Amino acid sequence: MEAFLNYGFLQRALFAGIFVAVACALLGVFLILRRDAMIGHGLAHITFAGVALGLLLNVIPLAMALGIAVLAALGIMKLKEKAGLHGDTAIAIFSSTGFALGIILATLAGSFSVDLFGYLFGDILTIQESEVWLSIGLAAVVVFTVVLYYRKFMYMTFDLESAKASGIKVGYLDVILTVLTAVTIVLGMKVVGILMVSALVVIPAAAGLQLASNFKQAIILSSIIAVISVLLGLLFAFYLDLPASGTIVILSFLFFCFCFLLKRGKKFF
Amino acid sequence: MHSSAVESKTLIALNNVSFSYGSVRVLKDITFFIRKGDFLAIIGPNGAGKTTLIKIILGLLKPSHGEVLILGKRVETFSDWKKIGYVSQKATHVDPLFPVSVRDVVAMGLLSNKKFPNLTKREKVLSIERALKQVGMENFKNWRIGRLSGGQQQRIFIARAIVNQPQILFLDEPTTGVDAETQDHFYDMLDTLNSSERITIVLITHDIGIVNKHVTQVACLNQQLVYHGTHAEFCHSDAFKAMLAGGHHLVSHRH
Ligand SMILES: Nc1ncnc2c1ncn2[C@@H]1O[C@H](COP(=O)(O)OP(=O)(O)O)[C@@H](O)[C@H]1O
Ligand SMILES: [Mg+2]
């Protein structure tokens, strides 16, 4: 344990990982209940184009990814609202297009670099100090905002029309939630990579939802599961020389199985 | 004399309201008033525009023509939504796995208080308990909403709609899919809210049986306002006869 904490890169990964895990879990609960679980998967793929563009133009890929993710998320939201396109259809169209664009840009940038590999499969252990602070800062903003608005978000998610009729500024809150989602996806991408970000957003929340009987429980349980998955994942990765991202995802899946069985088990008593 | 002047205070006024979805006209030139104390039924066939009308009154849809006044204010500038309760037609399509307790659901209604809810925690708890008692569901506070039956859920949504002690309550086909006996209790409860709690009630329904038994006012809608008046007059009106004869989707039977 001591050795573990003596490594700067591990400490950075731990700090960033914990914050990002909580942000992902919180958002995940809302996304699942809004039937928007796949938005993370889709946004991350679109973000690939941003990362590639950042590498091509030598702009910080994370910043580029953030910009693209926010725009894409707002675009998908508008499409759903105005064009009558089903959410999952919009996601399917834009995620593959974004990924295609990313591949082309990456090739233009001079073949697939190691950097790009990191974005696809996660590179939390190589996270830079500046990125740590950025991640922690953004994750803190996400957590703070969700905590601030969680009752209104809950009302909107549960019954949008009644929330509107109660005079709640649903349009404005929807934009906030969408932007938070985009930011969270990019953060999660840093931890487990574009291809697995869904895992960090959806699996801990799905696990928490198995056992929760009210909203607060769902949020707290999901956060705890996400944090433990990331912590244990990093530990295992370090000591057993496994890839951190994959280990984190597998652990959260095991937590999900555990919660699932516990819930089904409950029914027999 | 004085008290009847108070009784007839206008809560909601519609002036020449028309509405279209795109190019399809749904409501045409509706003018009418809802007065304090009314128990008003809005009836009309499927697609008549009843739900649309309520949504316009609540500011959820903008009329293409005409104006809506709520408590004397234009709906666009009205902000005191806690005085208005609403149970939408879709409210009971509850995700059975949604992790909210009955208490959570009723508490949602308190969010309609402006920016900073100015109730203390204790006041909130009391409001929630009073509302649950009014709908006869005080023993279900900690239940997950998905575990209740449709009729029980409907009561919880009414509790949410009345938790702020609103002046007026809008209900959009609240008893669809609820069995006859539950319906009877349900409408008795609305009667009590109307007479003891003095809540004005606007009820959208298909069911003329309900209309006959409970309401004081009837508005008959089919794109236009076909009829609006007291229930007693309605039974002798042409609108009523036309409706019975016309094979509309209105039903007059008791189940
Ligand atoms: N979102 C919508 N877009 C287009 N047309 C709609 C929409 N909602 C309702 N309509 C149409 O408007 C008409 C009135 O609908 P509605 O107000 O729901 O009727 P009711 O509640 O009386 O059954 C119907 O013909 C319906 O098809
Ligand atoms: Mg309707």
Side-chain angles (χ1 to χ4, degrees), chain B residues 51 89 172-173:
Chain B
T51 298
Q89 192 167 8
D172 194 348
E173 303 201 24

Side-chain angles (χ1 to χ4, degrees), chain A residues 234-259:
Chain A
L234 286 172
L235 275 172
F236 284 157
F238 179 72
Y239 283 112
L240 305 178
D241 206 16
L242 295 168
S245 58
T247 313
I248 292 170
V249 175
I250 295 295
L251 278 173
S252 58
F253 175 70
L254 291 178
F255 274 116
F256 172 78
C257 293
F258 177 73
C259 294

Side-chain angles (χ1 to χ4, degrees), chain B residues 1 4 16 26-27 37 49 77 82-83 91 120 122 143 164 175 228 233 250:
Chain B
M1 217 40 228
S4 88
N16 304 105
V26 175
L27 293 173
T77 56
K82 64 171 182 262
K83 294 199 172 130
T120 64
R122 180 166 167 70
W143 283 51
N164 292 309
T175 53
H228 180 210
E233 289 159 4
L250 293 162

Side-chain angles (χ1 to χ4, degrees), chain B:
Chain B
M1 217 40 228
H2 179 73
S3 81
S4 88
V6 172
E7 281 302 316
S8 64
K9 189 178 143 201
T10 299
L11 296 183
I12 309 274
L14 280 80
N15 293 320
N16 304 105
V17 168
S18 299
F19 183 84
S20 310
Y21 284 107
S23 59
V24 184
R25 159 156 304 175
V26 175
L27 293 173
K28 196 175 158 211
D29 210 19
I30 310 273
T31 298
F32 87 116
F33 308 97
I34 301 169
R35 284 166 312 172
K36 195 171 167 61
D38 281 356
F39 190 155
L40 167 71
I42 299 180
I43 58 176
N46 278 321
K50 305 180 295 293
T51 298
T52 305
L53 183 71
I54 297 288
K55 287 186 181 173
I56 288 173
I57 293 175
L58 295 169
L60 299 174
L61 294 172
K62 277 199 179 59
S64 37
H65 186 262
E67 66 166 4
V68 177
L69 299 174
I70 301 189
L71 307 178
K73 271 205 167 151
R74 289 184 62 107
V75 64
E76 296 85 3
T77 56
F78 184 78
S79 62
D80 206 1
W81 290 107
K82 64 171 182 262
K83 294 199 172 130
I84 316 290
Y86 172 49
V87 181
S88 73
Q89 192 167 8
K90 284 187 297 193
T92 40
H93 294 223
V94 168
D95 173 357
L97 297 177
F98 205 105
V100 282
S101 64
V102 162
R103 190 204 313 263
D104 284 339
V105 172
V106 179
M108 289 172 187
L110 293 169
L111 291 172
S112 62
N113 286 324
K114 287 185 192 166
K115 249 188 195 144
F116 297 101
N118 41 11
L119 296 179
T120 64
K121 190 154 192 180
R122 180 166 167 70
E123 284 169 324
K124 284 183 190 169
V125 170
L126 288 177
S127 304
I128 291 169
E129 277 177 2
R130 181 177 37 74
L132 283 172
K133 202 169 261 168
Q134 280 173 335
V135 299
M137 292 294 289
E138 63 270 36
N139 295 327
F140 294 85
K141 270 191 299 232
N142 296 317
W143 283 51
R144 190 158 46 74
I145 187 82
R147 290 179 58 206
L148 301 179
S149 73
Q152 289 174 317
Q153 286 177 1
Q154 196 58 270
R155 283 169 181 260
I156 302 306
F157 291 116
I158 300 215
R160 181 176 70 191
I162 62 176
V163 71
N164 292 309
Q165 296 182 275
Q167 300 199 9
I168 181 161
L169 177 60
F170 291 91
L171 302 160
D172 194 348
E173 303 201 24
T175 53
T176 316
V178 173
D179 67 73
E181 195 191 341
T182 312
Q183 279 194 31
D184 278 336
H185 290 303
F186 184 82
Y187 287 107
D188 288 343
M189 179 194 84
L190 291 187
D191 275 341
T192 312
L193 288 177
N194 181 240
S195 52
S196 323
E197 307 284 332
R198 311 215 139 265
I199 298 178
T200 304
I201 296 182
V202 179
L203 171 73
I204 294 183
T205 178
H206 269 4
D207 192 337
I208 290 192
I210 297 306
V211 172
N212 282 329
K213 201 166 162 201
H214 298 271
V215 308
T216 60
Q217 299 270 315
V218 179
C220 216
L221 193 69
N222 198 355
Q223 293 198 11
Q224 306 187 37
L225 193 61
V226 181
Y227 175 86
H228 180 210
T230 65
H231 174 247
E233 289 159 4
F234 174 69
C235 294
H236 301 288
S237 70
D238 293 341
F240 181 63
K241 286 172 198 147
M243 206 159 262
L244 288 183
H248 282 304
H249 299 278
L250 293 162
V251 283
S252 57
H253 59 266
R254 303 293 294 142
H255 299 270

